[in-house]
Every structure is written in C-alpha cells, then in structure tokens.
Amino acid sequence: MRGGPNGSPGRRKNLAGSALRVRGLTKRYGSLTAVDGLDLDIAPSAIFGLLGPNGAGKTTTLEMVEGLRRPDAGAIVYGDVDLVRRPEVARHRFGIQLQSSSFFPLLTVEETIRLFADLYPRSLPVLDLIDRFGLGDKRAARVQGLSGGQRQRLAVATALVHDPEVVFLDEPTAGLDPQARRNLWDLVSAFRREGRTVILTTHYMDEAEYLCDTVAVLDHGRVLDVGSPQDLIRRHLPGAVIELAPDVALPDGLPLPGLNRIDRSGERIALETGSLEETLVGLVTWARDAGQHLTGLATRGATLEDVFLKLTGRSLRD
Amino acid sequence: MRAVLTLTRALIRTTVRNRQGFFWTLFFPIVIMLVFGLIGNGGGLQVNLAVAGPAGGTAAQVAAAFTAIPIFKVTRMDRAAALQAVRAGREDALLVVPAGPAPLAMHLYYNDANYIAAQEAVAAVQASVSALDLRLSGRPPSLTIAASPVSHSVQATLLDFLVPGIVALMIMQNALFSVGAGLTRWKEQGILRRFLATPLQPVQFLGAVVLNNLIISLATLAIVIWMAVDVLHARVVVPAGPLLAIAVLGIAVFLAIAFMIAGLSHSQEATIPIINFVTFPMMFLCGIFFPVTTLPAALARIVGFLPLTYLANAVRGLMSGQAAGFTPAITGDIIGLLAWLVVCGAIGARTWRWE
C-alpha cells in the first residue's frame, strides 16, 4: 500500500527520544508573512508550549511541523528525518489534536476511536484508551451528545491511538470549565512520564506555568523569547508588580523610585518595579499630596502573563 | 484498502443513522410511488364527463353508453354551461356530440391545468369511444372487453411511467444532497482536516465517499424497485445488468456534479441553495413525472441536454421493456452522460480544495 522497503513509516526505526529542530521556518499568504524565519529546539520527553496572541502564527507553525502545511522556506528535522521532504513520517509518528477538529456526530465514542485506530498499522488497545480518558460510561454514546470536556478528551484520545512519539495539542482546554481543564492537565502530564514529547498552544498562562517545561513566546511569526516559565519571569520581570484600579489618575511620567514601567494594557494598571518597598512609599506619598485614593491597591510577584504583556504588548486573549 | 473499507463502514453507519436524510433517500420515493400507485389502481380513477349535443340526437345515446362504464360520471349539459364547468374544474372533460348521421366527428374539451388528470380523462374517453363505436354501429357490443383495457392502460401510463423516473431522481438526489452537502459540511467542521493528519491519503477518503454513496444508492434503488414490482405491481421490466451499468454511470455523473458544487461553493450556507437550484428545475423538467415532449418545443430542446433527462430516458428505455439491451436511443443517452461526467469531473478536480 504505502511506503517502500526503504523508509517505510510502518516498519519504524525508533525515533522516540529524538529532538525536533526547526530552522528559518517561513510561511507567507500573499503579502502577509504568517511565520517569519522561526527557529525552535524542542527537547524530547518534555512539554513545550507555544504562546502568542491571536494571529501570532502559532497554529500555522504547528501545522507545518505536523506535516499538514508546506512551509515556503526553512527546515524541520525530527531525529535525522527531514519532515519537509517526508511529511508522511510526521503523519505516522505524531498524534495531533487540531484546534477545530470534530468527528462524525452520529458515530459512537468507541466507533470513532476504532476508526482512527484502523487508519494506522498498529494501535493501542482501544478499550484501555477509553478507560484512561474517562470515557468508559460514554463508550456507546454518540459523539453529538458529548459535553465539551468529553469531546476534548475524545480528540486527545484519537491523537494518542497509534502510540505516537510526539503529541500536538492546539488549545486543548479552550472553552472547558476549571475541573475539565484540571482533568486534561493530568492526562497531558502523564504523556511526559511515558516519554512522549508534547507540543501545545494555549491561551491560559496558568496552564503554561503548570504544564510546560519550556515555553516560546511568539508574535508576528517570530520567537520573542524561549525558556522555562521561571527563567522568563526572572529574565524579564525580576521585581514585583503593584496593581491599581484603572480609574486612579496616575500621571504617566510620575517619577517613582524603583519604577521600571507602567503598563495600562491590562484590565488594571500595573506598575512593574525593581524595588517594591521604595516604589510603594513613593506611591503612597504621591497619593497623599495629590489627594488621590489608591483604589484596588495590590502587590504580587510577576507572572508569565506579565512577561507575555511585556514581550508582545498585548494580552493573551486579545 | 483496509483504511478505505474502515472509513466506508463508518460513513455507511452515519448515513443510515441520519434519520432525516434517510427519509428523503428511501421513504420519500416510496411515498410518491404509493400515492401514484393508488391513483392508478382502478378504484381511485374517476372521470367527470359532461356530454353536450342537440336534444334527441346521438348525444343521448353516447351519454347513456358512457354512463354504463363505471369510471365515468356523466352529466348532460348545454355546451356553454359545460365549457364553463370544465374551465372551472368541476368537470374533467366535455364531449360535444354533433347532430346528424354517422360518421360523427365528436369533440373533446379538457382542462389542461392539471396535466395528469387531463391525460387520464383524454385516454379514458379515447379508449372508450373506440369501444362504443363498435356498439353504436350495430355490431355486437364488446364493452366489457374494452372497459378493462381502459382502466388498465391508465394505470400503466401512471405508475409504470413514474418508476424509472423515480429511479433516476433518487440517483441525483442521493449524490447531490448526501455527498455534495456532506463534503462541505465535513470540510467546514474540520472533520476532513483531522483525517489529513493521519496516514489516510486524500484519494482514499474520496474512495470511501464514493463507495458509500454507491452502496447506499444501489441498496435503496433495489428496495424501491422491489416495492414497485412486487408490492405495487408496476409493469416494468428489470434487466439487472444493463440497469446496474446505467445506475452506476448515473451515480458517477451526479457525484462529479456534487464534487464540482462542493468545490465551487465555500460554505455550507452556499452549497444547499446551489444544490436546490440545480435539482429543483431538473426534477420537474427532465421527464420524471411527465414526458419532456409535453414541454414547449424550445424548452424541450434545452432540457434534452440536461443530465437527469439523459439518465431518466436511459432508465425508462431499459425498464419499459420495448427493446432488450441498449437501443441507439439509450446509447445516445450514455454518450450524453459521459460528456457530463468528463466536464464536471474536470471542473471538480480543478476546484476542489481539501482545506
């Protein structure tokens, strides 16, 4: 059927534990450059997060690495396999949950997973998968009657059905309630323990901080920075953040000791400071003298969300 | 091949489980046949016939003779009132019997607003007149013999004419509504994209879609033809081999049209109206419910080139049993269908996008 004696994707050399290297990846749509010379190094058996505002090029990047879209330029190498030349290797070894993927609504959960299992030369036991993803009592239920969380678990189950080395999850918890999100986090964490590489995109910073070993912040089709969530926070926002309600009439050029930057792009005014105590004293003094109230005053350490705002100038959900 | 068969099985499951779709695929044609089958079944047929003519002339004799035939409800009227009644639809037809000796040139007026009813009335009167002619000329009456072919020939023209048309119509509707609409829906919902992320090749997906439609279409055709022949006793012949060949060709043509429409339209909202726009006129013009020859000559010429006309003509040619196998007329229809297949297949191949 498919593949030849040399390099048949079915009879596979074990590439598990291989790194994914992306160099100079580029995709243009007319005059728009969606992905602009992107470089990524994705370590094996770890969870890698792609973060970026809408239109940053996350999904296009994923789809090129998955072999669904041909890049205009650049290299994608998995182990020693050139995936640009041989995208069928990606289709055999990678498991993919697409952002907008759906399934035949009139098939049952079990029929859907079996259908995908039968498309591969070998697969994991279907009933085990159904149990593992908490779909046991929905086994004979039609897809059209599933809840959002059950649907997402089904989508991830079909991505895992052929025992892939790399799993791609494009916004796996979008639109789920907090409990369903937690549930999926546990399942995704288990992939890493099994030695799989996970590459995911997300809109939720807590999700990235909780799950990802490494995150890359993207905007305009380029990588702005890469590192572990803690590294990124230390590198970009070593101090703390003072938050105020948005109606406090804080002048832009106010000379407060220790203040690095005032960010007004979020829901609240955020003052990034290298010295929390000095800035706070200055702020309180200014308020007393100017007759202002510091409504909603709060302080906290920086989060990945602050780093994201600083790097892209935009909030994640814009 | 295993992947294609697996996917085909899944598609057949979703097709059969889609109750609404399956209603149109299978029960709608059966209902149409039942309705027309009952109309044609003797008891249902009744012709309201007005008879006009000078008092004391042959008109009274003719009226009496028609009254003796059960399917006619005869009323004596004067000519002007009767014409009014036919125009208003209270009478199906008016038979004007002139005064004077034989041969009588009788005139039949009928309302053509309801074509099928008019055809029934005209056919029934014509058949009866030839029988009555014998009796009025003084020879031994043969009314009983003549009356049975009257009701029989009417029944034959209705259901027997309809069954091949239904077969052609089912092929068109099934291909366009399930595949044409299905492809855009699957594309829009991201179902296609998900399959492209597996080792399944696009051509394998296409193969499964075609196989599914072929199996569902042929199975429903078999059920409907069985109903027509064994339950409703339609007088059609079923030459299995040639009929299967024409059906498969017809399915191929309308699948090509389905791919073309799915390729040209960009959303499901656009696809359904396009399919309706294509199927609706063909359903009524292409000789499904009444012959193309009844259309105005100019329109009939154009309709003669439509794919459903070719398919209906070929199926009817085979099922009417007038000739065994492919007559020159059927060969002409096959050439017409092949032309549509090539043109629409080429356009479909150019316009169809997996993304």
Side-chain angles (χ1 to χ4, degrees), chain B residues 38-287:
Chain B
L38 288 178
I39 289 176
N41 254 349
L45 179 65
Q46 166 105 53
V47 177
N48 295 320
L49 183 69
V51 177
T58 341
Q61 272 173 282
V62 172
F66 271 102
T67 309
I69 305 173
I71 61 167
F72 290 105
K73 188 170 169 291
V74 179
T75 318
R76 287 292 314 269
M77 287 191 204
D78 71 69
R79 194 170 176 277
L83 270 176
Q84 198 61 42
V86 170
R87 225 170 251 128
R90 289 192 302 275
E91 299 287 341
D92 293 318
L94 161 64
L95 190 65
V96 178
V97 187
L104 289 176
M106 298 191 292
H107 202 108
L108 187 69
Y109 296 90
Y110 61 92
N111 187 334
D112 59 1
N114 179 344
Y115 178 80
I116 291 173
Q119 288 303 302
E120 284 172 24
V122 172
V125 170
Q126 275 172 347
S128 303
V129 162
S130 54
L132 289 170
D133 194 28
L134 292 172
R135 201 169 77 148
L136 292 174
S137 64
R139 286 182 215 148
S142 52
L143 199 58
T144 41
I145 305 162
S148 87
V150 170
S151 63
H152 233 108
S153 80
V154 170
Q155 185 188 0
T157 51
L158 262 177
L159 184 62
D160 300 355
F161 179 83
L162 201 67
V163 169
I166 295 272
V167 167
L169 183 65
M170 283 173 68
I171 289 174
M172 173 176 82
Q173 303 287 74
N174 206 359
L176 290 189
F177 280 98
S178 65
V179 173
L183 279 174
T184 23
R185 190 171 61 241
W186 297 334
K187 190 156 79 168
E188 225 167 67
Q189 293 175 344
I191 292 178
L192 275 183
R193 287 189 57 69
R194 182 60 187 87
F195 283 113
L196 292 185
T198 71
L200 189 77
Q201 307 283 322
V203 64
Q204 291 177 302
F205 188 90
L206 217 60
V209 168
V210 170
L211 213 54
N212 168 51
N213 191 259
L214 203 61
I215 291 168
I216 295 285
S217 288
L218 292 179
T220 49
L221 284 178
I223 294 171
V224 165
I225 291 174
W226 168 78
M227 280 279 297
V229 173
D230 281 0
V231 179
L232 298 171
H233 304 294
R235 299 199 309 177
V236 290
V237 292
V238 185
L243 199 56
L244 183 67
I246 290 291
V248 170
L249 177 60
I251 290 169
V253 169
F254 284 104
L255 280 180
I257 295 175
F259 279 113
M260 184 179 74
I261 293 172
L264 291 173
S265 77
H266 295 292
S267 70
Q268 210 190 335
E269 284 78 52
T271 308
I272 297 288
I274 293 176
I275 292 175
N276 278 322
F277 181 78
V278 168
T279 55
F280 222 67
M282 283 212 274
M283 179 151 96
F284 291 107
L285 295 176
C286 294

Side-chain angles (χ1 to χ4, degrees), chain B residues 16-58:
Chain B
V16 174
R17 285 175 193 174
N18 179 357
R19 295 225 187 90
Q20 200 191 352
F22 215 56
F23 174 83
W24 291 106
T25 312
L26 186 56
F27 291 97
F28 181 63
I30 289 177
V31 166
I32 291 184
M33 285 198 316
L34 278 175
V35 167
F36 281 89
L38 288 178
I39 289 176
N41 254 349
L45 179 65
Q46 166 105 53
V47 177
N48 295 320
L49 183 69
V51 177
T58 341

Side-chain angles (χ1 to χ4, degrees), chain A residues 207-256:
Chain A
E207 183 163 296
E209 283 198 57
Y210 179 87
L211 282 177
C212 296
D213 301 297
T214 310
V215 296
V217 180
L218 263 64
D219 202 8
H220 307 295
R222 292 166 184 271
V223 176
L224 300 179
D225 204 356
V226 189
S228 73
Q230 289 69 31
D231 283 348
L232 289 181
I233 293 167
R234 263 198 296 276
R235 199 176 307 156
H236 295 281
L237 294 170
V241 177
I242 302 167
E243 285 187 345
L244 290 169
D247 54 349
V248 175
L250 192 71
D252 259 333
L254 190 68
L256 292 177

Side-chain angles (χ1 to χ4, degrees), chain A residues 1 63 102 106 111 120, chain B residues 1-2 17 189 193 196:
Chain A
M1 209 166 76
E63 286 177 344
S102 68
L106 295 174
E111 286 165 351
Y120 295 92
Chain B
M1 202 58 206
R2 183 176 77 131
R17 285 175 193 174
Q189 293 175 344
R193 287 189 57 69
L196 292 185

Side-chain angles (χ1 to χ4, degrees), chain A residues 1-2 63 68-69 91-92 94 96-98 100-108 111 114-121 142 155 158-159, chain B residues 1-4 6-7 9-11 13-15 17-19 186 188-201 204-205 355:
Chain A
M1 209 166 76
R2 260 184 316 273
E63 286 177 344
L68 286 177
R69 230 177 257 283
R91 287 201 286 271
H92 273 88
F94 297 176
I96 295 165
Q97 174 254 319
L98 294 167
S100 58
S101 71
S102 68
F103 302 97
F104 293 119
L106 295 174
L107 290 189
T108 67
E111 286 165 351
R114 282 202 191 282
L115 170 60
F116 279 90
D118 286 347
L119 299 181
Y120 295 92
R142 292 188 182 173
T158 63
Chain B
M1 202 58 206
R2 183 176 77 131
V4 176
T6 299
L7 188 55
R9 198 174 59 208
L11 287 174
R13 279 197 178 119
T14 67
T15 309
R17 285 175 193 174
N18 179 357
R19 295 225 187 90
W186 297 334
E188 225 167 67
Q189 293 175 344
I191 292 178
L192 275 183
R193 287 189 57 69
R194 182 60 187 87
F195 283 113
L196 292 185
T198 71
L200 189 77
Q201 307 283 322
Q204 291 177 302
F205 188 90
E355 300 290 320

